[in-house]
Amino acid sequence: MLKVNNLSVKLDNKVILNDISFNISNNDMFMIIGPNGSGKTTIVKAIMGDIKYTGNINLNNKNIKKMYVSDISKHIGVLMQNHNLEFDNTVYDIVSLGRYTYIKDMFGNLSDIDKTMIEEAMELTDIKKLRNSSINSISGGELQRVFLALVLAQNPDILILDEPTNHLDLKHQIDIFDILKKWSLKENKAIVAIIHDLNLVYKYATKSLLLKEGEIIACGDVRDSLTKETIKETYDMDIFDWMKTLLENWK
């Protein structure tokens, strides 16, 4: 579905990413981890064409640089950390924005297919009961599910998420990833997520990419790439032993 080959990014003569390569296949939950400043978000920006890069990024065997933005948005949905809440829209209005690139009606009316995709996205994220609520009146966890429903309504092949559970409590983190896991198992779907919580990576990822200072430390099947040794090299500390020490406090 998505092939990244020899991706490199340089800004102000500083190397941000150096020779990054990986593949995303159907039903993958591909998680990118690494310290702050390692280049994780830059990978997302390159895929979305928001930053200049060298190398090749192919989506369904097509060079992304040669694709229209509107076509890319039909295949790739992106959920970033921060959301613009300037207007007091309803939950349904926000989710319906996910169908924007598909609307052909000159008056911007939703088709039956659009409405079906919106309802399915709201059903999957369990927010149908909030459909008429103002987005300024709901909780942080509910708001994150609303914006997740927005990108799911796009019906993309690949969903890219930049720290989707940032600022959420444990229960809401699990809720979000359970939703994502269910969605990723649909036909021709895959997820790319930037994550800090290694426990979530172990629990949900099929593949992982460990980055440090723009370089790949390890990449591949999560059980092979996310090891005690690669984590220590990535973070410059023995996180494995540290987490074991924390668990001792629960005995």
Side-chain angles (χ1 to χ4, degrees), residues 162-203:
D162 188 355
E163 299 186 45
T165 56
N166 197 25
H167 306 308
L168 296 183
D169 60 42
L170 181 59
K171 180 184 182 304
H172 285 107
Q173 290 180 37
I174 294 170
D175 288 344
I176 290 292
F177 273 97
D178 283 343
I179 292 168
L180 294 173
K181 185 67 175 181
K182 183 177 180 180
W183 183 86
S184 73
L185 294 176
K186 292 184 177 181
E187 185 178 1
N188 298 324
K189 304 297 182 185
I191 288 172
V192 179
I194 295 173
I195 299 294
H196 278 297
D197 192 322
L198 299 180
N199 291 309
L200 291 174
V201 180
Y202 271 122
K203 172 66 177 177

Side-chain angles (χ1 to χ4, degrees), residues 82-245:
N82 301 314
H83 310 300
N84 190 335
L85 301 177
E86 291 183 2
F87 302 102
D88 191 24
N89 299 93
T90 67
V91 165
Y92 186 88
D93 289 339
I94 293 296
V95 178
S96 66
L97 293 176
R99 300 304 299 171
Y100 179 79
T101 58
Y102 293 91
I103 294 176
K104 297 179 181 179
D105 187 294
M106 63 181 296
F107 299 107
N109 294 319
L110 297 168
S111 68
D112 289 341
I113 293 176
D114 293 327
K115 293 176 182 178
T116 297
M117 298 307 300
I118 292 168
E119 293 297 330
E120 288 181 357
M122 294 177 68
E123 177 74 29
L124 181 60
T125 53
D126 192 27
I127 59 170
K128 295 188 77 170
K129 59 183 178 294
L130 302 173
R131 63 188 304 120
N132 296 318
S133 299
S134 163
I135 57 171
N136 291 315
S137 68
I138 61 180
S139 71
E142 290 169 336
L143 184 63
Q144 189 70 338
R145 282 187 281 135
V146 169
F147 281 95
L148 177 56
L150 186 161
V151 290
L152 293 180
Q154 289 179 228
N155 194 31
D157 300 323
I158 301 172
L159 182 57
I160 298 178
L161 309 109
D162 188 355
E163 299 186 45
T165 56
N166 197 25
H167 306 308
L168 296 183
D169 60 42
L170 181 59
K171 180 184 182 304
H172 285 107
Q173 290 180 37
I174 294 170
D175 288 344
I176 290 292
F177 273 97
D178 283 343
I179 292 168
L180 294 173
K181 185 67 175 181
K182 183 177 180 180
W183 183 86
S184 73
L185 294 176
K186 292 184 177 181
E187 185 178 1
N188 298 324
K189 304 297 182 185
I191 288 172
V192 179
I194 295 173
I195 299 294
H196 278 297
D197 192 322
L198 299 180
N199 291 309
L200 291 174
V201 180
Y202 271 122
K203 172 66 177 177
Y204 293 99
T206 59
K207 297 177 181 177
S208 62
L209 168 64
L210 283 72
L211 272 182
K212 180 181 179 181
E213 297 179 350
E215 303 272 358
I216 290 181
I217 299 300
C219 184
D221 181 88
V222 68
R223 299 302 171 186
D224 296 327
S225 57
L226 198 63
T227 66
K228 179 179 179 179
E229 291 74 24
T230 59
I231 293 172
K232 185 175 182 179
E233 183 178 357
T234 301
Y235 291 96
D236 292 324
M237 66 175 289
D238 196 333
I239 293 180
F240 183 83
D241 284 346
W242 180 73
M243 293 177 73
K244 284 199 304 181
T245 300

Side-chain angles (χ1 to χ4, degrees), residues 2-4 7 46-47 53 55-59 62-64:
L2 184 70
K3 293 184 178 181
V4 176
L7 173 64
I47 293 172
Y53 62 86
N56 292 297
I57 301 176
N58 293 325
L59 174 64
K62 295 181 181 179
N63 190 325
I64 276 187

